[in-house]
Amino acid sequence: MRKISRASVMVLLALMLAFTAACSSNGNNNNAGKNTDTPSATAGADNGEAADYTFGEGQTFRSNDPVTYSMMYSDHENYPYREDWRLWSAIKEKTNVSFDLSITARTEYENQKSLLVNSGDAPYIIPKTYDESAFVASGQIVPVSDWVQYMPNYMKAVKDWGMEEDLKAKLKEDGKYYVLPGMWEVSGGGYSYIIRKDVFEAAGVDVTGEEANWTYEDFYEAMKKVKAHTGAKYVISDQFKGESTLNIAAVQYGVTGGWGISNGLTFDHDKQEFQFANASDDFKAYLEYFNKLVKEGIMDPESFTQEDDTAQAKFFKGDTYVINANYQLLSDFKSKMQVDGAELYMIVQPGGPKGQLQIETSRLENGIMISQRALDELGEEGFIKMLRFVDWLWYSDEGQTLSLWGVEGETYTKDAEGNIVLNPDIYYNGMNEGASKQLNVDFGFAGGVFAYGGNTKLKTSKMTEGEKDYFNRTVNTREKRKLAPPIMATPEETEQMDLIKTPLIDYVKTMTLKFITGQESFDNWESYKAQVEANGSARYTQMANDVFQKTKSKLGY
């Protein structure tokens, strides 16, 4: 496409603004390409009609002429791409927009993304991005925070839901961010423990009466009762190689572990500094807890080495009574239980020494990168038009509902209270078990490329009644945590820190399992601490704090 000169663009933008129905509160709509020190510009959240399309908050984006945007597409093996999905025609009918898809198998998506971005050949829209950090230095990704003022639905969500603090997590050392994250009005329940409620209650545990105030020590006492009642070899034999359990328990002990081990740092909001948590007294107490579970035969030591299906088989056969999972697995597990009368129940995550804390703090999901190629080839006017389409599809209530549930009257209806009711012949997420069709497989809706983010009503609309109950129990009984600031290091600083972090965290992971399983004695704790420091923990922490001191003004500290 012919590139438009900046002078022409400014004239066109002036004409566009003359026709807008509403302007931003400060009236400045010309911030594109300018740096902002906050993660959301407040200017330009405008509505109206441009030269050849309509857009705006609460308004359907529609191009007068057909338009096609190139996009990467992660093809999931559980609902493989189909050209005739209703998803594609529904988007086209609403917006007059089609996609030129670069389709890649989910398992190869990250590799293909790296190849295309680094070569400068990436499609315009790059969704399903969990970590954009590796692509920033290439210059092939637009610093999209310079352009969000042209996205009225995105800006409305940021303002109405107070997302400014959340978005700081995406800032890079230049004070900009390079991905449009999916945003939820509220955080989710996250991973916890599915238990055999029937067995716990038979052992004398009042699950629903006690779980709101449970700490990990209380959970230990409950599992002890189950072991004594059943005579089982183990009460819990975990899946995910224990990574999820170590992650969620670490939060309650003020440390990091499992999937969330990251760099071993936690942030002290009172002192406004990072500290290396994984050689502290808190970390020792955390390891001693799991060592106690293993030593007393409550937790299967194979939890940290076995494959998921092995752990699940033990649970399904009734050999164990606790397993870590998310709620989406619960309905599947119910159908696979081999024990008559088994009652499965997901408890709220236990609290710990640091309080009764919510595990999930970030309300951000994976997101969308926009390639520099899009700006180069479309020119500023065409680029803004494409952003407004992205804004509608991924951030408006209408677009989000379409992506998740499909077309009203075809795949769903609404009840008298305005709640989504999925057609009875369509299955999704535990709803309408045994239905002949599936929302994602047969129609293309509710897929991971499009359907993430939204308000609380939309979030809970895809939950079964049981999941809504779990979600509400979590929100009502667990305390929100403050978000830690990002470490906004330069590429050079990041490289130096990674050289320390990789061997340091590898050592911590190795010793974590040795302490838990009893291969290493806690008598050698001081030796462990000395080796952690020898591996660079103090230096790494100092570097993190130096970066924070340099950049904290951009973060509002």
Side-chain angles (χ1 to χ4, degrees), residues 158-401:
V158 171
K159 179 182 176 182
D160 290 356
W161 303 343
M163 299 296 300
E164 291 86 356
E165 288 299 313
D166 301 70
L167 288 169
K168 287 178 181 178
K170 307 308 294 181
L171 290 177
K172 302 307 176 188
E173 57 92 17
D174 59 2
K176 304 181 182 186
Y177 59 89
Y178 291 74
V179 66
L180 293 166
M183 297 186 292
W184 292 106
E185 183 178 5
V186 292
S187 57
Y191 285 77
S192 188
Y193 304 95
I194 295 175
I195 69 167
R196 283 280 304 280
K197 188 166 181 267
D198 55 311
V199 175
F200 272 71
E201 290 182 339
V205 179
D206 180 9
V207 175
T208 55
E210 297 176 16
E211 66 161 329
N213 299 313
W214 263 354
T215 64
Y216 270 94
E217 286 297 331
D218 296 324
F219 191 38
Y220 156 72
E221 293 294 339
M223 289 190 287
K224 268 177 65 174
K225 290 180 180 179
V226 170
K227 184 174 177 67
H229 174 72
T230 61
K233 185 175 182 181
Y234 302 112
V235 177
I236 176 172
S237 189
D238 212 7
Q239 60 179 341
F240 311 131
K241 293 185 168 63
E243 293 282 311
S244 180
T245 288
L246 290 175
N247 176 36
I248 67 175
V251 169
Q252 311 293 359
Y253 281 83
V255 298
T256 73
W259 284 337
I261 193 169
S262 185
N263 51 20
L265 298 180
T266 56
F267 188 74
D268 188 320
H269 287 274
D270 293 329
K271 296 180 179 178
Q272 291 199 0
E273 65 180 22
F274 289 99
Q275 54 193 13
F276 192 78
N278 291 1
S280 63
D281 290 344
D282 290 333
F283 192 64
K284 183 181 181 184
Y286 161 77
L287 297 180
E288 286 176 330
Y289 174 80
F290 285 105
N291 173 255
K292 176 171 62 176
L293 297 189
V294 170
K295 195 161 54 176
E296 296 185 18
I298 292 172
M299 188 171 198
D300 183 356
E302 292 182 359
S303 295
F304 305 99
T305 54
Q306 66 191 353
E307 297 302 319
D308 292 357
D309 55 359
T310 302
Q312 291 171 12
K314 294 173 182 177
F315 189 73
F316 298 154
K317 287 189 296 182
D319 293 339
T320 59
Y321 310 102
V322 179
I323 192 168
N324 188 293
N326 60 31
Y327 207 93
Q328 283 67 45
L329 289 171
L330 186 59
S331 60
D332 180 54
F333 282 12
K334 286 179 179 178
S335 68
K336 294 178 178 177
M337 291 302 296
Q338 300 165 25
V339 182
D340 292 338
E343 183 182 358
L344 304 190
Y345 179 80
M346 179 164 277
I347 64 168
V348 174
Q349 305 100 334
K354 300 303 178 182
Q356 304 278 350
L357 305 175
Q358 283 189 23
I359 303 303
E360 299 294 329
T361 55
S362 176
R363 295 177 290 167
L364 304 183
E365 276 272 10
N366 66 87
I368 306 150
M369 295 190 299
I370 306 295
S371 71
Q372 180 64 35
R373 180 183 167 198
L375 180 56
D376 293 342
E377 295 183 2
L378 294 175
E380 289 190 21
E381 180 188 10
F383 184 74
I384 290 169
K385 177 179 178 178
M386 186 190 78
L387 285 182
R388 285 172 169 156
F389 164 72
V390 169
D391 178 63
W392 176 83
L393 183 57
W394 274 277
Y395 297 100
S396 74
D397 290 346
E398 183 184 23
Q400 290 169 336
T401 302

